[in-house]
Amino acid sequence: MKEDYRKLPVAEKLSNEEEVVWINPKHVPFAKSSLDIHMADIEDAEMRLARFASFIMKCFPETCADNGLIESALTPIPKMQEALKEAYGADIPGQLFLKQDSHLAIAGSVKARGGIYEVLKHTEELAFEAGLLRPEDDYARLAEPECREFFSQYTIQVGSTGNLGLSIGISSAAIGYKVIVHMSADARQWKKDMLRAHGVIVKEYESDYSEAVKEGRRLSDADPKSYFVDDENSVNLFMGYAVAARRLKKQLEDREVMVDEEHPLFVYIPCGVGGAPGGVTFGMKEVWGDYVHCFFVEPVQAPAMLLGMVSGLHNDVCVQDIGLTGLTHADGLAVGRPSGFVGKVMEPLLSGEFTLADKWLYEYMRIFLDAEGIFLEPSACAAFAGPIKLLAREETRTYIKENGLEDKMDRATHIAWATGGSLVPDDIREEYKNTYL
Ligand SMILES: *Cc1c(COP(=O)(O)O)cnc(C)c1O
């Protein structure tokens, strides 16, 4: 009986809002994982983004410096590594980096990867069908008035806790679409205001994210000229996120950081519905196989992906089923029900998960800002729970031992995946800096 999951010790801890460290028992050597998606799918997404580069530069001049590539820096954060040792006694062996998706162009969060990719893919399909574009054309022509006029007949809709809405909303509006974003109760006011300033229609819901998605999907399905970006099931979003991995490989090579049998890579990514961390993880496993160890981090009140994986029920279970509210200060992670598609793909790939209480989001944010002078939104700061707990908790110490990594840890690389923050307005930053739970 699947209901038995409630009796598992980890499920009991989750329902008691305890912080847990979970090692995925279904994780297998990469060669033995059989997936329906492959490197070729990532390459297809990469090539599509390359075809769109001239158009991206036209619509978003801030991407010109990078030739229309939407990519973030990989930054060593030695002062944070030192600060974590001082604050928590976290002696992190090897080198700690930050992947600054918090500063991605256009959307200021990891959603600039998947969200914009899916909108572009849809745009390409519409333009091909209408004969506005051929694959060999310069895609910059799609920014011309007659193309914008064409796109304005179509609607893009999405359900969001905030950042996906910003990504889809800002990018779709710039292309010329009509956009409707269905925002859950967790969404912050400033995100709604910013979208409205871009001409996006924002519908607000009293209910949580799953309800906003459901209603958005229903309304979009009723309109033949409307396209719904389905965060809970979208393979396109997932592939847009997965593109990150090969670019990261190049960034590590440029810094002469090795990832191989003797040099393990640990990556810690905040998780909501699972698409962003799942896509990035899928890409990294394709690139590095067993040399990369991927961990997700979720809030104690919204461990949707963890509950789905622990129970094996994926999107047939939600955090409310074990008595949690799903309410968290990590608005980007405020998801009660995980993506079923992503959870299944992650089963053989994910190393494990950490959950953390909300108060740490603000504390890590302040420590990080002090140490490195970089602002991150609270959701993104969840990533730091990974390096802090890796050697402090027995579960992960056992994982290191069982994977033969003990004597390699001094040569390890750790990446905290900073998923958002650069668009947060100054007054909200001040509010965050002064929030103590
Ligand atoms: C959306 C988001 C995540 C997680 O992405 P999912 O695809 O929902 O798992 C993490 N951090 C921030 C800041 C986000 O906006």
Side-chain angles (χ1 to χ4, degrees):
M1 255 319 260
K2 294 251 179 175
E3 292 300 313
D4 286 348
Y5 77 86
R6 286 177 217 241
K7 300 198 187 95
L8 294 169
V10 60
E12 274 181 26
K13 285 185 188 159
L14 288 181
S15 78
N16 292 332
E17 296 167 49
E18 280 175 52
E19 295 188 340
V20 305
V21 179
W22 176 76
I23 299 301
N24 175 15
K26 294 183 180 162
H27 178 215
V28 297
F30 184 65
K32 293 192 182 144
S33 59
S34 56
L35 299 173
D36 296 337
I37 44 179
H38 307 281
M39 187 57 110
D41 299 299
I42 303 178
E43 283 164 1
D44 179 57
E46 273 177 345
M47 287 187 305
R48 182 163 294 105
L49 288 169
R51 290 197 293 277
F52 267 105
S54 63
F55 173 72
I56 293 172
M57 285 190 275
K58 270 253 160 85
C59 286
F60 307 101
E62 70 264 38
T63 63
C64 287
D66 245 347
N67 295 315
L69 199 71
I70 301 166
E71 193 45 70
S72 73
L74 176 72
T75 313
I77 47 171
K79 291 182 192 142
M80 182 60 169
Q81 202 165 347
E82 203 47 46
L84 291 179
K85 190 173 177 179
E86 213 155 278
Y88 308 113
D91 204 352
I92 302 158
Q95 203 182 358
L96 180 61
F97 287 86
L98 188 76
K99 182 61 177 155
Q100 280 184 273
D101 279 7
S102 46
H103 294 69
L104 279 172
I106 305 162
S109 80
V110 67
K111 305 296 194 307
R113 297 183 183 281
I116 294 171
Y117 173 71
E118 175 145 8
V119 170
L120 294 176
K121 183 160 193 280
H122 177 62
T123 299
E124 189 182 55
E125 278 159 14
L126 286 179
F128 282 169
E129 254 170 52
L132 285 175
L133 187 74
R134 290 163 307 173
E136 62 275 19
D137 288 341
D138 178 353
Y139 280 31
R141 62 171 281 120
L142 294 178
E144 283 165 18
E146 78 261 27
C147 292
R148 286 187 64 83
E149 170 102 23
F150 167 77
F151 294 126
S152 72
Q153 318 162 59
Y154 294 92
T155 305
I156 308 276
Q157 305 199 47
V158 66
S160 174
T161 63
N163 284 342
L164 185 64
L166 282 181
S167 165
I168 301 286
I170 294 172
S171 60
S172 305
I175 294 168
Y177 292 109
K178 182 176 164 200
V179 201
I180 306 174
V181 175
H182 304 265
M183 287 282 207
S184 65
D186 310 281
R188 304 280 312 208
Q189 189 60 40
W190 69 265
K191 293 182 180 173
K192 299 176 196 168
D193 296 342
M194 190 176 280
L195 280 172
R196 289 187 173 122
H198 281 265
V200 171
I201 299 166
V202 177
K203 293 206 171 179
E204 304 180 52
Y205 294 81
E206 295 290 325
S207 48
D208 79 349
Y209 168 78
S210 308
E211 284 303 311
V213 170
K214 208 158 138 190
E215 186 60 7
R217 194 188 285 129
R218 189 184 70 78
L219 289 170
S220 184
D221 288 351
D223 175 355
K225 287 201 158 178
S226 175
Y227 179 79
F228 187 66
V229 176
D230 193 339
D231 199 15
E232 290 178 337
N233 301 295
S234 172
V235 179
N236 294 330
L237 277 174
F238 189 84
M239 287 305 160
Y241 293 122
V243 167
R246 292 223 295 203
R247 297 177 179 177
L248 176 64
K249 179 170 190 277
K250 174 144 192 329
Q251 289 179 320
L252 286 167
E253 284 166 1
D254 288 347
R255 292 188 172 274
E256 299 183 348
V257 173
M258 292 203 273
V259 180
D260 58 26
E261 174 110 53
E262 293 304 316
H263 300 81
L265 173 62
F266 289 82
V267 184
Y268 314 95
I269 321 175
C271 177
V273 76
V280 170
T281 292
F282 165 67
M284 292 192 299
K285 296 304 279 190
E286 287 287 327
V287 169
W288 289 295
D290 295 330
Y291 307 145
V292 65
H293 306 270
C294 304
F295 291 87
F296 291 173
V297 189
E298 291 182 289
V300 288
Q301 276 295 348
M305 180 56 62
L306 180 48
L307 181 61
M309 292 190 75
V310 163
S311 63
L313 291 171
H314 300 295
N315 56 335
D316 288 329
V317 69
C318 67
V319 301
Q320 286 78 8
D321 293 345
I322 57 168
L324 297 174
T325 61
L327 299 176
T328 163
H329 283 244
D331 54 340
L333 316 179
V335 172
R337 188 181 297 277
S339 157
F341 154 63
V342 174
K344 283 166 209 155
V345 175
M346 286 301 106
E347 263 180 2
L349 304 181
L350 190 68
S351 293
E353 275 232 26
F354 301 90
T355 63
L356 86 172
D358 279 5
K359 65 172 180 177
W360 300 113
L361 302 169
Y362 296 102
E363 198 166 311
Y364 298 162
M365 187 190 75
R366 282 186 285 267
I367 291 177
F368 184 62
L369 189 60
D370 265 357
E372 303 280 351
I374 301 171
F375 175 85
L376 299 177
E377 65 181 272
S379 297
C381 294
F384 295 119
I388 292 171
K389 293 184 184 194
L390 187 70
L391 290 187
R393 296 287 299 246
E394 197 186 326
E395 297 89 337
T396 25
R397 280 203 305 268
T398 304
Y399 173 90
I400 287 169
K401 202 184 244 171
E402 288 180 348
N403 283 276
L405 300 170
E406 264 177 321
D407 57 349
K408 300 173 185 170
M409 292 307 287
D410 285 341
R411 300 186 292 274
T413 300
H414 306 264
I415 298 177
W417 208 283
T419 45
S422 62
L423 291 191
V424 178
D426 287 340
D427 56 327
I428 308 293
R429 291 184 188 207
E430 284 310 308
E431 182 193 313
Y432 286 158
K433 284 185 221 167
N434 293 298
T435 301
Y436 293 83
L437 300 179

